[in-house]
Amino acid sequence: MISLEGVSSIRKTHDMLPIHSKPKLWNPSIAPNPPTFKKILPLKISNTWNENKEANESKAGRIKRLVLSNEGRTKLNTFPDREFYAYPRFVTHVDDRFIATLTDLYRERLKPGSEILDLMSSWISHLPNEVVYKRVVGHGLNAQELARNSRMDYFFVKDLNQDQKLEIEDSSFDAVLCTVSVQYLQQPEKAFAEVFRVLRPGGVFIVSFSNRLFYEKAINAWRDGTAYSRVQLVLQYFQCIEGFTQPEVIRELPSAGNSQDDKSPFSWFMKWLGLFSGSDPFYAVIAYKNFKPVYD
């Protein structure tokens, strides 16, 4: 059973490839129903309420503080991430139980007809098959993997550790997803600020993760942390951005009978590769831009 608790706390675009049978070039400037802006002349006389509102809006999305130290951002493998992910990995990085829990969460939180950005994705997005979304745009580091993703309408390849700027207009998506990849972000504060910018007001950002990782590519702050400290780290990523709602945490932990205590060299090596199989704990940290919508 999923438990819920309140907790305080994408141009350098590369290899842009359409994956429709009728190819469509992913171009944010001609995306469906792009936002329009009208120039409004300022009033000569303003009141305090308007001034306060404008001041608050100008702060939204800013980075209030840095969460990570320079050391916490380091990786054991310092080669560019594009090299590490040059070859496709058509595998699932979490077990069936984790995937089912995540799909249920998406079914609950993502409305049909939504426009979704799937960040740091792969060949599967774990979205519920029966739900139709208006548009799903995918991002990742391997074009072959992304091209296999049947839920994506468009995708693009970009290294967010080299450049966090998303070449997308403000307020373009209803939801942003990041699945089992947050541990690789070296500039999470800037990445989360960009997510805030491209979300529409009331849009949701769902960050899910488990205990699996490519050890040499995870940042030091994550690699050396515990399950508790990793949850707290993602909470702080949200809290360092002005305008996100109070994050909430969803946990589903395996029962004691499913825990594995294999400490053999082979098990350690498989964990290091990020290929260890077992019963995966599920964690998701969720927050909304400006406010959490209330639906009937």
Side-chain angles (χ1 to χ4, degrees):
M1 184 175 181
I2 298 176
S3 62
L4 172 67
E5 63 181 77
V7 182
S8 297
S9 79
I10 75 175
R11 143 168 133 209
K12 295 183 181 178
T13 301
H14 307 285
D15 308 332
M16 196 77 68
L17 299 174
I19 60 174
H20 269 290
S21 56
K22 295 182 179 179
K24 299 179 181 179
L25 178 64
W26 165 240
N27 186 335
S29 66
I30 59 172
N33 302 319
T36 58
F37 303 91
K38 296 181 179 179
K39 185 175 181 180
I40 301 176
L41 296 176
L43 295 174
K44 292 183 178 181
I45 301 175
S46 61
N47 56 48
T48 302
W49 186 87
N50 284 330
E51 290 173 350
N52 290 337
K53 180 182 178 182
E54 290 172 2
N56 289 332
E57 288 178 348
S58 68
K59 293 179 181 179
R62 72 180 180 92
I63 300 173
K64 296 187 289 186
R65 63 181 182 277
L66 295 181
V67 176
L68 299 178
S69 64
N70 289 334
E71 181 181 358
R73 303 176 196 274
T74 60
K75 298 184 176 186
L76 294 177
N77 183 333
T78 59
F79 290 100
D81 290 344
R82 288 289 297 271
E83 294 182 13
F84 183 80
Y85 295 100
Y87 297 96
R89 296 175 174 88
F90 295 112
V91 298
T92 53
H93 297 283
V94 283
D95 63 16
D96 291 343
R97 182 173 172 273
F98 182 103
I99 293 171
T101 302
L102 181 61
T103 301
D104 284 342
L105 178 62
Y106 288 165
R107 186 177 288 112
E108 175 190 343
R109 300 295 180 111
L110 306 179
K111 293 187 64 180
S114 295
E115 295 186 87
I116 299 170
L117 173 61
D118 190 0
L119 280 183
M120 306 177 75
S121 188
S122 181
W123 66 295
I124 305 177
S125 289
H126 310 302
L127 293 165
N129 292 326
E130 77 280 6
V131 181
V132 178
Y133 301 104
K134 182 176 181 180
R135 179 176 56 142
V136 178
V137 176
H139 155 264
L141 282 172
N142 187 280
Q144 290 175 269
E145 291 182 5
L146 296 168
R148 284 273 297 272
N149 193 314
S150 62
R151 296 309 303 268
M152 291 180 182
D153 298 293
Y154 309 90
F155 70 85
F156 65 99
V157 174
K158 183 185 182 72
D159 186 349
L160 290 181
N161 285 329
Q162 294 292 324
D163 179 15
Q164 297 77 46
K165 177 69 176 178
L166 300 177
E167 296 299 332
I168 304 175
E169 293 185 5
D170 296 357
S171 304
S172 292
F173 292 97
D174 302 299
V176 177
L177 315 176
C178 182
T179 306
V180 296
S181 296
V182 68
Q183 62 267 32
Y184 307 119
L185 285 173
Q186 292 181 281
Q187 301 292 334
E189 303 95 340
K190 293 180 180 179
F192 274 57
E194 275 295 280
V195 168
F196 184 93
R197 183 183 64 79
V198 303
L199 276 173
R200 296 183 175 117
V204 64
F205 187 18
I206 302 176
V207 180
S208 60
F209 53 94
S210 188
N211 57 0
R212 300 202 199 191
L213 66 158
F214 291 113
Y215 194 78
E216 73 272 34
K217 274 300 182 180
I219 62 169
N220 182 57
W222 191 281
R223 198 173 60 243
D224 294 343
T226 64
Y228 175 81
S229 69
R230 291 167 179 172
V231 170
Q232 294 302 308
L233 201 59
V234 179
L235 283 169
Q236 291 181 65
Y237 292 166
F238 277 109
Q239 292 169 341
C240 79
I241 306 302
E242 186 79 47
F244 271 122
T245 62
Q246 177 175 292
E248 52 184 303
V249 177
I250 292 177
R251 296 181 177 91
E252 184 173 327
L253 307 180
S255 62
N258 290 330
S259 64
Q260 298 196 8
D261 298 316
D262 185 358
K263 300 184 184 298
S264 67
F266 177 76
S267 175
W268 180 89
F269 181 67
M270 294 299 281
K271 289 179 180 178
W272 186 78
L273 290 176
L275 299 174
F276 179 75
S277 60
S279 186
D280 299 330
F282 177 90
Y283 303 96
V285 184
I286 308 169
Y288 296 79
K289 178 176 179 175
N290 303 137
F291 61 90
K292 180 179 180 179
V294 176
Y295 302 112
D296 295 331

